[in-house]
Amino acid sequence: MLCPVCGSENVVKNGTVHNGKPKVMCKDCGRQSAGNPENKNISQETKD
Ligand SMILES: [Zn+2]
């Protein structure tokens, strides 16, 4: 799983959200988010 915010692989599972999806915390940017890689396909292409 990748961080949807910064795209880092340095994420850890941090429980689940109300809808049962896994919640992850990114060690790089510090953001917590529910895993949703299909809709949040923001890549380096977007950053540039
Ligand atoms: Zn991140």
Side-chain angles (χ1 to χ4, degrees):
M1 180 170 287
L2 300 176
C3 171
V5 179
C6 71
S8 172
E9 294 183 18
N10 195 16
V11 294
V12 292
K13 287 185 180 179
N14 192 23
T16 56
V17 294
H18 61 279
N19 60 6
K21 289 189 176 184
K23 187 169 65 175
V24 298
M25 186 184 72
C26 177
K27 289 183 176 180
D28 281 352
C29 69
R31 293 291 301 274
Q32 291 186 47
S33 57
N36 196 6
E38 293 182 8
N39 289 338
K40 291 279 185 178
N41 199 12
I42 300 173
S43 65
Q44 293 171 353
E45 189 176 318
T46 307
K47 284 182 174 180
D48 290 340

